[in-house]
Amino acid sequence: MKKVKKIPKGSKIKKKIESLTPRHWVGIVLAVAALLILVFVYCNKPNELDKITQDYIETIDTSTIRGEVERQFDNEYKAQDYLFYGETLSMFGNPYDAEQENLDPFMGKALVLRNIETGKEYNFTFSGSADGAIPLGQLDEGAYEVFIYDQYIKKRVYFDKAFTSKPLVTMRRGGKVKNITLEADKDIFRKFNVELANNYAFLVVKDTIPQSEIVDVVIDPSGNVFNELTQELEPGFASGQISEAQASYELAQKVKTELERYGLKVLISRDPDSTPSYYGENGRVGQGYEHQAKVFLNLSMCDEESVNRPFFIVSPLTNASLANEMAYIMTQNGIELDYPYTTTDLLANGVIFDTNIVDNEYNVTPFTINPAIRESGGKATYAGQYNQVGNGTYASHDGMYGLMFEYANIASSDSVDYYQANQDKIAKSLAQGLASYFQLKEVDSDEAASESSI
């Protein structure tokens, strides 16, 4: 048998290397360089966690900033104030004040947002109420120029003083949230060597993932309330049929379960035995502020004369848009709502405005009676300004959309019977109404569990 002489592998490789021409070497070097660049870019690209703290403006392409952003405008319109409430943003031509004699200059005017990257525009009209402005949850990611139409003239909105708002984080939708800031600073594009002529307003919207400490909805079961003003415990209504403290907590648990079907993270303001007040960091609304909630839903009972069915109470500083939608969905689901006193055509059946407090001289104040509504709305509802017992720190905070749902009347056995026979349908309908308003979709059970605890 003929023997075959084995050539060492190293010799083959050496010959192949020696046979390479300079042209081959150039190609190899370029290929290796390209591979190293791809590896570098992949390893350094922002991940979902990076986006939480990343400044969205710095991610915009330089050519977009220099080519699409106007440095100055012939027609300008000054804004003096703004507020976030729930998932809405309002701007004002005067300092925010519900008691001002004249309508705010922004009232009734058309507002335009223009995405500087895509050119897409959104159009809105200010109603003058806390929830009657820009719905933020449906905006695409991007940086938006802000314009207003004044006497049919399109004007660029600006502020005298430069500022960047605290970020507002929207409701969870499909495991994602939007981080939103209002910025007005002539040096906002300094990194791009672009200086603006004025502190023009920009609304910056960034898609990101939710953080575990941020919740979407606080559910507040009435009963077992410590009254800071009287230093007494208010256990709630009770009869042979029902205990408000117990029934409210049980309903809160049912509503929480239903809301979690939409991937929301929900906090109940008390446990069965605790007695928090409506004031302070650990109070019922304080927990909502600390966890940046968007909705504060109180569940309680009443003893109103001639009321036999559930109804909603909302702040008169709003358009009641959330409560109106929830009332509509509940009615569609066969739940009977009622309230015997008609207040305004703005309100759906079963929705009323909270009553304003009258001072010692019989003047109507901007403060409403129920602390669940007054203290939960931040700047929009003058939280912490009616008294000085612990919520002063929240007077300038973004407001939660506060509403009360009075599910039964302790003075009517028929009302209590109706609630007890329909409590599961009521819980489901409350969640469906809230989801309809915020345009949320149900997720599967596994996804709901993971999304609500991210």
Side-chain angles (χ1 to χ4, degrees):
M1 183 176 181
K2 185 177 181 181
K3 293 183 178 181
V4 179
K5 185 178 181 181
K6 293 184 178 179
I7 301 175
K9 290 183 179 180
S11 299
K12 289 184 179 181
I13 296 173
K14 183 177 180 181
K15 287 184 178 181
K16 287 184 178 180
I17 292 175
E18 290 174 348
S19 67
L20 295 175
T21 65
R23 186 176 180 180
H24 290 138
W25 279 110
V26 170
I28 291 172
V29 170
L30 291 175
V32 172
L35 179 61
L36 291 174
I37 290 173
L38 289 173
V39 171
F40 176 81
V41 170
Y42 179 80
C43 292
N44 290 275
K45 69 177 183 179
N47 57 35
E48 294 291 352
L49 292 176
D50 293 331
K51 288 193 71 176
I52 293 175
T53 57
Q54 186 179 53
D55 183 351
Y56 182 80
I57 293 293
E58 294 185 357
T59 69
I60 301 175
D61 184 71
T62 302
S63 62
T64 298
I65 299 296
R66 293 179 178 174
E68 297 297 327
V69 176
E70 294 288 338
R71 274 66 164 178
Q72 63 181 21
F73 296 83
D74 294 331
N75 297 304
E76 300 177 345
Y77 199 92
K78 185 169 74 172
Q80 291 197 55
D81 210 347
Y82 72 94
L83 61 82
F84 291 101
Y85 182 75
E87 261 195 0
T88 62
L89 166 66
S90 299
M91 284 180 276
F92 304 93
N94 296 322
Y96 178 65
D97 181 6
E99 293 184 292
Q100 61 187 353
E101 295 182 2
N102 300 315
L103 294 176
D104 189 86
F106 272 66
M107 176 74 169
K109 287 185 170 63
L111 182 95
V112 178
L113 301 181
R114 189 187 81 88
N115 189 318
I116 64 174
E117 296 174 272
T118 66
K120 183 176 181 178
E121 293 188 351
Y122 291 89
N123 295 274
F124 309 97
T125 300
F126 285 108
S127 73
S129 298
D131 59 340
I134 304 169
L136 302 171
Q138 307 304 316
L139 296 178
D140 294 333
E141 184 175 56
Y144 293 85
E145 296 174 315
V146 184
F147 299 88
I148 196 168
Y149 275 97
D150 180 37
Q151 299 296 326
Y152 302 102
I153 299 174
K154 189 177 182 181
K155 299 182 179 181
R156 187 67 169 88
V157 174
Y158 74 96
F159 287 79
D160 273 343
K161 295 182 179 180
F163 70 89
T164 298
S165 73
K166 295 178 182 177
L168 178 133
V169 180
T170 63
M171 308 276 274
R172 288 166 170 80
R173 291 177 174 86
K176 301 287 185 179
V177 295
K178 296 180 185 294
N179 184 298
I180 298 175
T181 56
L182 179 64
E183 304 185 29
D185 189 341
K186 64 174 61 178
D187 294 324
I188 190 173
F189 300 120
R190 172 176 285 182
K191 175 184 176 181
F192 304 92
N193 296 318
V194 171
E195 184 176 355
L196 306 179
N198 216 333
N199 295 317
Y200 297 125
F202 287 86
L203 189 61
V204 182
V205 181
K206 177 177 66 176
D207 292 334
T208 183
I209 57 173
Q211 301 174 62
S212 60
E213 67 271 19
I214 296 178
V215 305
D216 301 300
V217 178
V218 173
I219 304 177
D220 175 42
S222 61
N224 291 350
V225 178
F226 179 72
N227 189 322
E228 294 275 2
L229 301 180
T230 64
Q231 294 293 297
E232 296 177 346
L233 176 65
E234 297 176 354
F237 296 116
S239 70
Q241 282 183 288
I242 195 168
S243 161
E244 181 182 14
Q246 180 180 349
S248 296
Y249 186 78
E250 291 173 353
L251 179 58
Q253 289 181 304
K254 291 177 183 291
V255 177
K256 179 177 184 290
T257 298
E258 294 297 333
L259 287 174
E260 287 174 345
R261 299 182 192 279
Y262 297 91
L264 298 180
K265 185 159 189 177
V266 182
L267 172 69
I268 297 179
S269 67
R270 68 170 177 88
D271 62 37
D273 301 315
S274 64
T275 60
S277 74
Y278 283 97
Y279 299 92
E281 182 178 331
N282 296 318
R284 295 167 186 250
V285 299
Q287 295 176 65
Y289 287 122
E290 297 301 321
H291 291 281
Q292 301 178 50
K294 268 61 66 181
V295 175
F296 187 86
L297 173 61
N298 170 269
L299 305 173
S300 56
M301 296 181 65
C302 73
D303 61 351
E304 296 281 348
E305 185 178 351
S306 303
V307 175
N308 293 312
R309 293 294 180 264
F311 62 96
F312 291 92
I313 305 176
V314 293
S315 172
L317 298 170
T318 72
N319 285 331
S321 53
L322 174 56
N324 283 343
E325 180 66 17
M326 294 175 74
Y328 170 76
I329 295 298
M330 296 190 81
T331 301
Q332 292 293 106
N333 288 348
I335 297 298
E336 298 175 13
L337 300 176
D338 188 30
Y339 198 78
Y341 313 113
T342 302
T343 54
T344 169
D345 292 338
L346 281 176
L347 303 178
N349 180 54
V351 180
I352 65 167
F353 283 137
D354 196 11
T355 304
N356 289 83
I357 295 173
V358 177
D359 64 20
N360 294 332
E361 297 178 353
Y362 302 102
N363 297 310
V364 178
T365 74
F367 309 116
T368 56
I369 288 178
N370 288 292
I373 292 175
R374 183 188 67 242
E375 298 300 317
S376 65
K379 180 178 178 178
T381 59
Y382 304 103
Q385 297 185 46
Y386 175 61
N387 52 55
Q388 303 297 320
V389 292
N391 282 351
T393 186
Y394 303 126
S396 60
H397 266 53
D398 299 339
M400 294 172 277
Y401 203 137
L403 68 163
M404 300 176 65
F405 181 67
E406 306 275 339
Y407 58 85
N409 183 356
I410 192 67
S412 167
S413 59
D414 174 59
S415 174
V416 174
D417 286 342
Y418 182 80
Y419 165 69
Q420 291 177 331
N422 291 279
Q423 56 183 297
D424 289 339
K425 186 188 289 187
I426 285 173
K428 189 176 186 67
S429 298
L430 284 170
Q432 287 179 342
L434 189 145
S436 176
Y437 178 80
F438 288 104
Q439 299 184 31
L440 309 175
K441 297 180 180 179
E442 280 198 52
V443 297
D444 62 52
S445 57
D446 292 337
E447 189 178 358
S450 63
E451 286 183 6
S452 64
S453 59
I454 290 175

